[in-house]
Amino acid sequence: TSKVMAARSDEMAYFKKHRVYRKVPISLCYEITGKAPIDTRWIDINKGDTQSPNYRSRLVAKEIKRGSSSTPDMFAATPPIEALRFIMSCAASQKGSKRKKIIMSNDVRRAYFYAPSVRRVFIKIPEEDFEEGDEERCAELDFSMYGTRDAAHNWEIEYTNFLTSIGFTAGSASPCHFHHSERGIDLVVHGDDFTSLGYENDLNLLKMQFEKKYEIKTEFLGPGHSKEIRVLNRILRWEGDSLSYEADPRHAEIIINELDFKSAKPVSTPHIEVDASDESPELVGENATKYRAIVARANFLSADRVDIQFAVKEATRCMSKPRECDWQRLKRIGRYLIGNPRVILQFESQFQPMSLTVYSDSDFAGCKRTRKSTSGFVIMHGNHCIRTGSKTQALIALSSGEAELYALVKACSEGLGIQSLAKDFHRCLSIRTYTDASAAMGIVGRKGLGKLRHVDTQHLWIQDAAARKAVEFSKIAGSLNPSDICTKGVESWRLVE
């Protein structure tokens, strides 16, 4: 269509503006690489709808990944999504402060075009730029191009060099975390999206430095600015002194549509038990493919929605050989989403916390098929939920105390990860972990295996952490343990706290 052609023309204009490649004899490509130039293709995406189309066209290289994808020149770090939540928590933890920090979001347009190409890469000249005499020529990249193996790695080098040159220090837990000590700015990089927390004057100076280097789109979230912005398609809101975080609502809508649940009745819980003796037939062909596609989307959504984490975790365990009973389990998730299409994470105004609170729980032998248990955890920064998780234990626990120990080890390790994340932003937080299992507390408080001689010693580092007081452990009543929602399907009303 004419709109697609216009979008492609706009993309080629960017190629020429940034001088992404230069035309060279095709013989040079064979001399350097011993292969033909890399082919290209267009990816056209309508970011609008059929009535109001908004096409974005991207020319990408079709470079096949060969060998190990973990080689240094191919690796590009990605920060955990809880880094964004931690930034929001810090923004809401300014109670009593006269001067308030706000959030700035910067989106770099066509970020890879700013990253110099480290290795010599040759591509076929796009048809839209093909001129007379180009029959014996190809294009050598001077800057990175989408679809090449090391484009993300080159962009990481580029933005790291830029940020460090203006006073930022890269984090140790993740190279995508940055802190500016002089201005007190915390910054997280997700691909070409930069999210910063700082005082307005300092953020405006940072914005000016960005604009000198890149073409960016900037939004501010906070008093006197926008009350709602989107970051990584998550909806961030600022109301009064409090903030809220919401997952991309489109995923729930797509899951419901894929399951054809337009007229289905909602249910109050997302999980149903499947009979271990159920010999229902295995899904094959398109049905199996559809199951995997929907579960994969639900798994992505569950990273932001603790209410479906356990149910989705159970559904993902059957991805290799899904059965009819697993399809029923997936339909249950879909019917739950009908009644609960949105879950908003609230970050109420609070004083700056000095510690992390970690909650741990387990369901002993909860899986009827394998008799494995589930580890659940919730990590809080004051009253703000930073991270949650639900994971099937690799080992079969022989007692509830042993299952709770494995869950406690998992929760503690995740808490230490968030502690390291906070250190990247120059915040030192202690850790207090809660469990409702007296047996697990007893194991943590002593030295060695005791009567649990079959337990692998890799789990006993937690005893040393307790002895050194690197982590404090306390008992909590089961009815007050929020991590209970990560080990079973619970009613939606229990999430409103």
Side-chain angles (χ1 to χ4, degrees):
T1 66
S2 59
K3 293 186 179 295
V4 171
M5 298 308 297
R8 292 185 178 184
S9 177
D10 184 50
E11 178 77 350
M12 290 308 304
Y14 267 89
F15 266 80
K16 293 177 181 179
K17 176 183 177 181
H18 290 272
R19 298 179 181 177
V20 177
Y21 62 73
R22 51 193 164 81
K23 297 178 181 180
V24 297
I26 198 169
S27 58
L28 181 62
C29 172
Y30 285 101
E31 178 184 341
I32 299 297
T33 68
K35 304 171 186 175
I38 300 168
D39 201 359
T40 61
R41 62 166 295 188
W42 283 101
I43 296 179
D44 306 303
I45 301 175
N46 183 8
K47 293 192 172 183
D49 51 39
T50 54
Q51 295 183 350
S52 301
N54 178 23
Y55 281 95
R56 166 73 165 87
S57 295
R58 179 171 288 169
L59 182 66
V60 301
K62 297 166 63 176
E63 187 173 20
I64 300 173
K65 292 184 178 181
R66 294 187 174 90
S68 173
S69 61
S70 62
T71 53
D73 62 330
M74 306 302 169
F75 176 79
T78 301
I81 192 63
E82 51 265 26
L84 177 60
R85 297 195 198 113
F86 187 79
I87 289 288
M88 293 191 64
S89 176
C90 291
S93 302
Q94 302 184 83
K95 194 172 184 179
S97 300
K98 295 182 179 179
R99 190 182 177 199
K100 304 284 187 180
K101 291 184 177 181
I102 61 174
I103 292 175
M104 180 176 71
S105 173
N106 306 103
D107 180 12
V108 179
R109 297 193 64 184
R110 293 171 173 85
Y112 288 178
F113 291 174
Y114 295 97
S117 183
V118 175
R119 61 193 174 96
R120 303 192 72 174
V121 181
F122 301 84
I123 64 169
K124 291 183 179 180
I125 298 174
E127 181 180 342
E128 290 76 9
D129 192 30
F130 204 86
E131 301 172 324
E132 184 178 354
D134 285 345
E135 293 80 5
E136 297 298 325
R137 291 195 289 184
C138 63
E140 181 176 3
L141 297 182
D142 288 326
F143 292 90
S144 299
M145 179 179 175
Y146 293 94
T148 54
R149 293 183 297 171
D150 55 352
H153 178 72
N154 295 344
W155 169 239
E156 182 182 294
I157 295 174
E158 163 62 26
Y159 72 68
T160 299
N161 289 339
F162 166 68
L163 291 174
T164 53
S165 70
I166 60 175
F168 281 89
T169 303
S172 299
S174 172
C176 302
H177 301 159
F178 293 86
H179 180 77
H180 198 296
S181 297
E182 184 179 343
R183 296 179 183 170
I185 300 176
D186 301 317
L187 186 148
V188 180
V189 186
H190 292 85
D192 56 6
D193 292 302
F194 296 72
T195 307
S196 312
L197 174 67
Y199 296 115
E200 185 172 351
N201 291 342
D202 295 322
L203 292 182
N204 278 321
L205 289 174
L206 177 59
K207 174 176 174 286
M208 292 173 58
Q209 290 172 314
F210 269 122
E211 290 174 338
K212 291 178 182 179
K213 185 73 173 179
Y214 310 116
E215 183 177 346
I216 64 169
K217 175 185 175 183
T218 301
E219 291 182 290
F220 289 95
L221 178 68
H225 298 279
S226 298
K227 294 184 178 180
E228 178 180 308
I229 64 172
R230 282 181 177 263
V231 177
L232 303 175
N233 287 324
R234 275 82 171 178
I235 303 172
L236 314 186
R237 300 184 182 90
W238 194 312
E239 299 174 347
D241 291 332
S242 302
L243 288 85
S244 66
Y245 172 102
E246 182 181 351
D248 186 350
R250 294 177 301 175
H251 293 298
E253 295 173 6
I254 293 172
I255 291 171
I256 293 170
N257 291 333
E258 288 291 324
L259 291 170
D260 196 19
F261 274 177
K262 296 179 181 179
S263 58
K265 294 182 179 179
V267 293
S268 61
T269 59
H271 177 70
I272 55 172
E273 292 292 341
V274 176
D275 190 352
S277 62
D278 191 346
E279 297 297 335
S280 60
E282 183 179 332
L283 298 177
V284 295
E286 293 183 0
N287 291 334
T289 300
K290 186 176 182 179
Y291 176 87
R292 295 185 182 103
I294 297 175
V295 171
R297 184 177 294 277
N299 191 38
F300 183 85
L301 177 62
S302 69
D304 294 315
R305 291 196 49 169
V306 63
D307 57 329
I308 62 171
Q309 269 185 351
F310 175 76
V312 171
K313 184 267 294 184
E314 289 295 297
T316 58
R317 297 177 63 198
C318 311
M319 292 275 275
S320 59
K321 292 183 179 180
R323 300 186 299 168
E324 182 61 36
C325 59
D326 300 319
W327 181 257
Q328 298 303 318
R329 192 195 329 248
L330 179 58
K331 289 170 66 176
R332 179 77 179 193
I333 298 173
R335 291 179 62 192
Y336 173 81
L337 291 175
I338 293 174
N340 302 273
R342 301 169 58 196
V343 169
I344 298 175
L345 201 60
Q346 296 286 352
F347 294 86
E348 300 292 342
S349 178
Q350 65 177 12
F351 293 101
Q352 183 66 45
M354 301 304 294
S355 64
L356 294 171
T357 307
V358 181
Y359 298 94
S360 168
D361 192 32
S362 172
D363 67 333
F364 174 50
C367 178
K368 304 303 181 186
R369 292 180 183 174
T370 63
R371 309 310 298 177
K372 289 184 177 180
S373 308
T374 295
S375 296
F377 63 88
V378 172
I379 302 176
M380 307 288 290
H381 181 232
N383 296 320
H384 303 158
C385 182
I386 301 298
R387 177 159 164 73
T388 61
S390 179
K391 181 177 177 61
T392 301
Q393 296 178 2
L395 303 174
I396 298 177
L398 302 184
S399 66
S400 60
E402 184 182 339
E404 293 286 358
L405 171 65
Y406 296 153
L408 196 57
V409 169
K410 175 64 177 175
C412 242
S413 62
E414 294 289 344
L416 290 170
I418 301 298
Q419 184 186 56
S420 297
L421 181 154
K423 286 181 180 179
D424 284 349
F425 300 125
H426 290 210
R427 289 174 171 82
C428 295
L429 303 175
S430 59
I431 301 176
R432 178 174 288 278
T433 304
Y434 289 91
T435 178
D436 55 17
S438 299
M441 285 287 293
I443 298 170
V444 170
R446 65 174 184 240
K447 285 288 187 179
L449 294 171
K451 294 182 179 179
L452 299 177
R453 300 186 185 277
H454 61 283
V455 174
D456 198 314
T457 54
Q458 67 173 331
H459 296 97
L460 299 186
W461 63 266
I462 198 170
Q463 295 178 341
D464 180 64
R468 292 186 293 106
K469 298 190 182 300
V471 180
E472 296 183 23
F473 296 88
S474 299
K475 182 78 164 49
I476 188 174
S479 59
L480 301 177
N481 191 349
S483 58
D484 180 62
I485 62 178
C486 301
T487 59
K488 58 180 68 69
V490 300
E491 296 85 354
S492 55
W493 62 265
R494 293 185 59 185
L495 299 171
V496 185
E497 295 183 358

